[in-house]
Amino acid sequence: MGVRYSSLSLCSPTHQNHQSFRLATFTCDTKQKSIFSFYPTDKDRIFNTHYRRVSFFPITQFSICGLHSRIGNLKCGRVKEMETRQGIATKEALDLQSVDQDLVQKMVYDALVWSSLHGLVVGDRSVQRSGKVPGVGLVHAPFALLPVSFPESHFREACELAPIFNELVDRVSLDGKFLQESLSRTKKVDPFTSRLLDIHSKMLELNKKEDIRLGLHRSDYMLDEQTKSLLQIEVNTISSSFSGLSCLVSELHRSLLIHYGERLGLDSKKVPGNSAVIQFAEAMAKAWTEYNNARALVLVVVQSEEHNMYDQHWLSSLNNTHNVTTIRKTLAEIDAEGELLPDGTLLVGGQVIAVVYFRAGYAPTDYPSESEWRARLLMEQSSAVKCPSISYHLAGTKKIQQELAKPNVLERFLDNKEDIAKVRKCFAGLWSLDDSENVSKAIENPELYVMKPQREGGGNNIYGEDVKETLLRLKKDGTDEDAAYILMQRIFPSVSLTFLMRDGICHKDHAISELGIYGAYLRIKEKVIMNEQSGYLMRTKVASSNEGGVAAGFAVLDSLYLT
């Protein structure tokens, strides 16, 4: 998910730039200790009560802190030099070439044991029942062995943007006319977006008010190497994944650097703490409390086969510390078991639902029949708190992102001039395909652009020569199909050598990274209860991969090393 330039592969283990280390057994007598902070720039604060530590980690004292649902092999391309607009852009804070292979093997072994003990796991796709039955067919989540260097000033900048984007999404969601008009051309050519807009239209006709509005968002960024600017890739308003596993990776890296940091020349305290899953759970629990029914449940909407269920279960487990019970249902199950009472109460299996948390429903494949669409409409019509509501979902589409980047549009939703300036500063170039000037530029220099459809998850974007071919075809056809896409500036991040862990094997190659900042927002009518930056997600992928989704098989989970 994102805009990046890449042409370096790490796939072929026989290539001179690619190395794989298999595991070697070793003995380690050093005791580990936990370091955890609730805020991104606090380096040493641990859990503040024994109750929270034990309730969250009933077996260990290590702190924990979403993947969409598909883990696969690293996607690889042809090996060649990493190019940018100014030539080669490689940057290595740590000289991995000089790291002793025996040390790497020890860290790999430690990391895999730690991952197994602390729940840094996903379902193994090679095991038939792994995505349906908990505890069957587990494998460690793909992760970077060491954290990636990132300027602290830019990290703070991204964190400061989170509350602004939370508020922006909420205000955009309240402007039904803006959503409908901005997506009107897209509706004609994109059946999925059209169905979402139909549900939204029905809510507008019913004058449906959401008194309790809950947003669990993630805004993704890359640091442009040439301009040193932090540029936004997108805002995720539905199924903002990895709030659970991202916190685990931060703690894994702290643990490794406590043991090996002196030999590597790295300080464990420069890995910022990550509170994403704790704050997401708190926001959800507060929304549940505001619903004011002690017997009501939180409904997690899931896919029928969910290999990333453990990331989701971390959030559900934390909900239990707030005395909130969660159930997991597919859209088809909700259609079969759901009922809407005259007062708007949503029942699923005869149980009252206070909060609906979507970890599915963001892709056309989640709606294989009318059953799933009936379930989505049923939930939207109810008085349950939706995370996201249909209006929040639409506010996170690529087309709305492009519309907000137009001159004077942010002023329609934000009042503070400083906030507007901060948001505008992080916008990359965004254009509609009816912008003939920029379309012509993209045809001439397709490597500088990316075409994005109205889709969530990895694997959907168009890059390189495919941009040119697609634009020329659309131009020749003369249809409205161009309304299904936006055109975006491609971001050129720096490249560094990285150890990438997948399936118990350590691969060393050049990679680039993408920073996601979580935000939690809760508004009760006109009163803002919660509007916070809520932790971070770092994803690192081989430089040859255009896409960046971990669950889609393109990237690994990572954490930050602040410089």
Side-chain angles (χ1 to χ4, degrees), residues 417-468:
K417 291 183 179 180
E418 291 184 3
D419 288 348
I420 292 171
K422 289 178 181 178
V423 170
R424 188 158 282 137
K425 179 183 176 183
C426 80
F427 280 163
L430 292 154
W431 305 277
S432 168
L433 264 64
D434 59 11
D435 184 330
S436 58
E437 180 180 352
N438 280 290
V439 167
S440 296
K441 290 180 179 178
I443 292 173
E444 293 174 7
N445 298 286
E447 71 281 0
L448 301 180
Y449 296 84
V450 57
M451 287 178 65
K452 305 179 81 172
Q454 312 305 311
R455 296 289 181 270
E456 299 298 326
N460 298 303
N461 297 334
I462 300 173
Y463 297 89
E465 285 301 311
D466 290 339
V467 171
K468 178 179 179 179

Side-chain angles (χ1 to χ4, degrees), residues 24-36:
T25 305
F26 77 105
T27 303
C28 178
D29 299 322
T30 308
K31 293 183 178 180
Q32 298 175 329
K33 59 182 180 179
S34 173
I35 298 179
F36 186 95

Side-chain angles (χ1 to χ4, degrees), residues 505-546:
I505 299 175
C506 183
H507 307 272
K508 181 173 71 172
D509 214 307
H510 291 85
I512 56 179
S513 298
E514 178 178 321
L515 171 65
I517 299 293
Y518 294 106
Y521 186 87
L522 180 63
R523 180 188 286 269
I524 313 301
K525 293 185 178 178
E526 300 308 313
K527 182 180 180 181
V528 176
I529 304 298
M530 188 175 187
N531 183 13
E532 299 177 3
Q533 177 277 130
S534 304
Y536 69 93
L537 165 68
M538 201 70 182
R539 286 169 295 180
T540 292
K541 70 181 187 66
V542 297
S544 60
S545 174
N546 287 322

Side-chain angles (χ1 to χ4, degrees), residues 32 34 47 50-64 113-119 248 314 317:
Q32 298 175 329
S34 173
F47 279 113
H50 176 72
Y51 170 76
R52 295 189 75 169
R53 183 186 297 115
V54 172
S55 63
F56 197 50
F57 311 104
I59 298 176
T60 75
Q61 293 186 0
F62 283 86
S63 50
I64 301 284
V113 170
W114 195 100
S115 299
S116 301
L117 294 178
H118 294 80
L248 276 171
W314 277 119
S317 297

